[in-house]
C-alpha cells in the first residue's frame, strides 16, 4: 500500500509466464471488491483463467483495458477509499508506469533437463531448492510437465521439485514398453534412482494419479505422501470419447472440442494450448505411444487399474482432489474412500483442478505436506 492506495498487477501464473492479456473485466470502477473475488479474465499463451483480487476495497481505477497485453507485474487496477483524491491516484499511476521495469525472464522461460534412466530418456523441469523432502509431479494421459505450470513454483519453497514427462509424452522417450501402469511406474522409479532421490512427496493427475497409487502399492518406502488429482484407478469408468478423440484428431478445429472436455469452462482452453498438443502428437513415435498406453490402461473402454480396495491398506499418506464437473473421470470415484484419506471436491471445476483452481489446490497441497 502507498498513501492509502493498493495496486492490482498482472499475476505470474507459472515459471514460464512473461505477459498476459486482460480479456474482460467483471467489475467496474466504483465497485467495492473483496479479496478473493473474481474480477477479470486473463489469457496467457498457455491457458485462460479468472483472476481473483488480492485486496479488498473500492476499485477507483481500471488501468489496463480489455484486450490489452501487458507484462507480468504491470498495473491492472488501483484500489483506494474516497479519502484519496483523483489527483493522487493519477500521480500514483503515472509514477508506476514511469518506473516500471519488465522482469527479465530470459529467453522464454525455464529450461528443462534430460536424464538417462533405466527406462530411457526422461525430460523434467526442476524448480526450487532447499532441504525439504523433494516433490515429484506426474501428469496424466497426453500431458507433460507444463500441466503443473500454475502450481509448481508455489509448491517449491524450501524443497526441490521435479515435473516429469512420462514415457510416450513430451520430450521423454517414446518407448513405453507394454504401456501399462506398471511400465510407467517403473519409469518413475527409474527417474528417482537416476536423480538419487530416496523419497518424495508425489502429486499425480489422472493417469499420473494412477501411477502414484501403483507407486504407493509397490514402492511405499519411496513415498512421503501422495496428492491424487482426479486419479485413475478408483473406478472403472473413463470417457473414451475423449481418449479416442485426443488421439485421432490432428487439426485444431476438430481437436479443440475434446480438449474443452477437460475443463468446466471451455473458454479456458487457449489456441496456443491446442497447438502445443498438435505439435506433440507430430513427434516421431508419439501417436504410437499414446495408442499403446490407451490400449493397455483403458482396455475395452474401462480402466484396467483397480485400486479402490487396496488404498485402505496403503501406508503412505494419501489425499484426493476432484472437480465436481469432471467429464473424463467421474467425481463419484472419490466416494467411499477410507476416512483416513482426505477428499477435497471443487464446485464448477472439471478434470484440471490444478489449472482451474490453482490457488486452492496450492493451499490444499501445502497444508497436506506440511
Amino acid at each position: 500500500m502507498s498513501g492509502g492506495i493498493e495496486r492490482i498487477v498482472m499475476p505470474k501464473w507459472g515459471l514460464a509466464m512473461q505477459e498476459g492479456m486482460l480479456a474482460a473485466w467483471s467489475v467496474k470502477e466504483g465497485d467495492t471488491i473483496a479479496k478473493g473475488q473474481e474480477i477479470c479474465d486473463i489469457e496467457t499463451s498457455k491457458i485462460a483463467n479468472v483472476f481473483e483480487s488480492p485486496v479488498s476495497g473500492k476499485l477507483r481505477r481500471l488501468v489496463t483495458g480489455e484486450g490489452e497485453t501487458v507484462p507480468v507485474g504491470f498495473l491492472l487496477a488501483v484500489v483506494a477509499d474516497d479519502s484519496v483524491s483523483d489527483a493522487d491516484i493519477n500521480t500514483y499511476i503515472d509514477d508506476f508506469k514511469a518506473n516500471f521495469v519488465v522482469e527479465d525472464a530470459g529467453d522464454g522461460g525455464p529450461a528443462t533437463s534430460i536424464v538417462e534412466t533405466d527406462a530411457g530418456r526422461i525430460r523434467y523441469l526442476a524448480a526450487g531448492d532447499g532441504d525439504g523432502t523433494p516433490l515429484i509431479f506426474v501428469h496424466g494421459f497426453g500431458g507433460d510437465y507444463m500441466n503443473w505450470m500454475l502450481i509448481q513454483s508455489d509448491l517449491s519453497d524450501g524443497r526441490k521439485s521435479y515435473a516429469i514427462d512420462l514415457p510416450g509424452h513430451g520430450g521423454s522417450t517414446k518407448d513405453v514398453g507394454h504401456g501399462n501402469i506398471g511400465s510407467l511406474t517403473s519409469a518413475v522409479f527409474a527417474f528417482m534412482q537416476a536423480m538419487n532421490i530416496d523419497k518424495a512427496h508425489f502429486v499425480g493427475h489422472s493417469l499420473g494419479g494412477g501411477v502414484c497409487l501403483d507407486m504407493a502399492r509397490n514402492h511405499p518406502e519411496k513415498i512421503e505422501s501422495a496428492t491424487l488429482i482426479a486419479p485413475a484407478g478408483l473406478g472403472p469408468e473413463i470417457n473414451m470419447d475423449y481418449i479416442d478423440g485426443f488421439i485421432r484428431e490432428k487439426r485444431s478445429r476438430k481437436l479443440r472440442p475434446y480438449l474443452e472436455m477437460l475443463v468446466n469452462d471451455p473458454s479456458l482452453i487457449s489456441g496456443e494450448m491446442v497447438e502445443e498438443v498438435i505439435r506433440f502428437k507430430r513427434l516421431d513415435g508419439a501417436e504410437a505411444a499414446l495408442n499403446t498406453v490407451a490400449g493397455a490402461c483403458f482396455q475395452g473402454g474401462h480402466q484396467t487399474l483397480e485400486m479402490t480396495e487396496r488404498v485402505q491398506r496403503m501406508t503412505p499418506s494419501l489425499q484426493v482432489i476432484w472437480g465436481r464437473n469432471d467429464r473424463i473421470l467421474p467425481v463419484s470415484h472419490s466416494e467411499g474412500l477410507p476416512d483416513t484419506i482426505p477428499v477435497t471436491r471443487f464446485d464448477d471445476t472439471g478434470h484440471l483442478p490444478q489449472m482451474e483452481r490453482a490457488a486452492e489446490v496450492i493451499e490444499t497441497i501445502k497444508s497436506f505436506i506440511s
Side-chain angles (χ1 to χ4, degrees):
M1 180 180 289
S2 175
I5 298 175
E6 292 191 278
R7 64 194 183 199
I8 299 174
V9 303
M10 177 62 72
K12 186 175 179 63
W13 287 339
L15 298 169
M17 180 174 173
Q18 299 179 60
E19 62 182 22
M21 190 268 282
L22 199 150
W25 284 105
S26 50
V27 292
K28 62 182 184 301
E29 292 182 355
D31 285 353
T32 298
I33 59 175
K35 184 177 180 179
Q37 178 182 344
E38 295 179 359
I39 58 172
C40 63
D41 296 325
I42 292 175
E43 293 184 13
T44 74
S45 60
K46 308 299 181 187
I47 194 171
N49 214 335
V50 295
F51 179 49
E52 298 175 351
S53 176
V55 300
S56 300
K58 187 173 183 178
L59 187 61
R60 294 289 299 276
R61 195 69 54 83
L62 301 179
V63 180
T64 298
E66 294 182 349
E68 284 190 66
T69 297
V70 298
V72 168
F74 190 77
L75 194 61
L76 301 182
V78 168
V79 172
D81 61 34
D82 291 333
S83 65
V84 180
S85 69
D86 286 341
D88 286 343
I89 288 177
N90 289 337
T91 299
Y92 178 85
I93 294 172
D94 290 342
D95 288 346
F96 183 95
K97 290 181 176 178
N99 294 295
F100 178 72
V101 177
V102 177
E103 180 182 346
D104 181 7
D107 59 357
T112 57
S113 300
I114 297 288
V115 61
E116 294 294 336
T117 76
D118 290 344
R121 182 184 69 251
I122 298 292
R123 183 176 71 171
Y124 66 94
L125 177 66
D129 204 0
D131 298 329
T133 302
L135 193 157
I136 296 176
F137 295 94
V138 188
H139 62 77
F141 180 82
D144 65 12
Y145 76 92
M146 289 298 292
N147 289 176
W148 309 106
M149 64 182 182
L150 299 186
I151 71 172
Q152 184 179 3
S153 178
D154 286 277
L155 292 172
S156 301
D157 288 342
R159 73 181 76 248
K160 199 88 170 180
S161 75
Y162 304 89
I164 66 172
D165 290 350
L166 287 169
H169 297 74
S172 291
T173 175
K174 298 302 177 288
D175 181 359
V176 297
H178 296 296
N180 53 21
I181 290 287
S183 298
L184 301 176
T185 301
S186 295
V188 175
F189 185 82
F191 173 80
M192 295 181 75
Q193 286 187 309
M195 299 295 291
N196 295 315
I197 300 172
D198 292 329
K199 199 169 190 176
H201 295 286
F202 278 80
V203 179
H205 172 240
S206 195
L207 181 66
V211 172
C212 293
L213 282 171
D214 200 43
M215 281 286 291
R217 178 180 63 170
N218 292 304
H219 306 287
E221 76 284 357
K222 307 295 284 185
I223 297 185
E224 185 72 29
S225 76
T227 294
L228 312 169
I229 302 176
L234 295 181
E237 297 88 0
I238 183 169
N239 186 340
M240 288 306 295
D241 285 344
Y242 166 76
I243 298 296
D244 293 339
F246 182 92
I247 296 174
R248 179 182 66 245
E249 301 301 345
K250 298 176 176 60
R251 294 176 179 267
S252 300
R253 183 175 59 81
K254 292 188 174 182
L255 177 62
R256 174 179 282 276
Y258 294 99
L259 297 184
E260 289 178 348
M261 291 181 182
L262 290 167
V263 291
N264 181 64
D265 178 2
S267 67
L268 297 181
I269 302 299
S270 68
E272 178 64 21
M273 184 178 182
V274 177
E275 293 302 321
E276 281 201 358
V277 172
I278 290 174
R279 284 195 290 272
F280 152 63
K281 290 169 60 178
R282 288 174 179 160
L283 295 175
D284 286 345
E287 184 172 341
L290 289 175
N291 275 305
T292 301
V293 172
C297 295
F298 316 128
Q299 204 169 50
H302 295 88
Q303 298 184 56
T304 53
L305 180 71
E306 176 49 62
M307 292 286 194
T308 307
E309 295 296 324
R310 293 174 176 171
V311 291
Q312 55 190 327
R313 298 192 296 274
M314 293 179 179
T315 53
S317 297
L318 307 175
Q319 73 162 337
V320 169
I321 295 172
W322 224 301
R324 292 188 185 276
N325 296 342
D326 194 323
R327 289 187 285 170
I328 310 302
L329 297 174
V331 67
S332 59
H333 289 186
S334 65
E335 299 170 357
L337 295 172
D339 293 339
T340 53
I341 301 178
V343 179
T344 303
R345 303 180 183 90
F346 292 114
D347 293 332
D348 302 322
T349 305
H351 191 59
L352 297 174
Q354 70 271 32
M355 289 189 169
E356 300 174 82
R357 298 287 171 184
E360 293 98 322
V361 169
I362 289 169
E363 290 307 313
T364 303
I365 295 175
K366 277 185 175 179
S367 297
F368 187 62
I369 66 178
S370 64

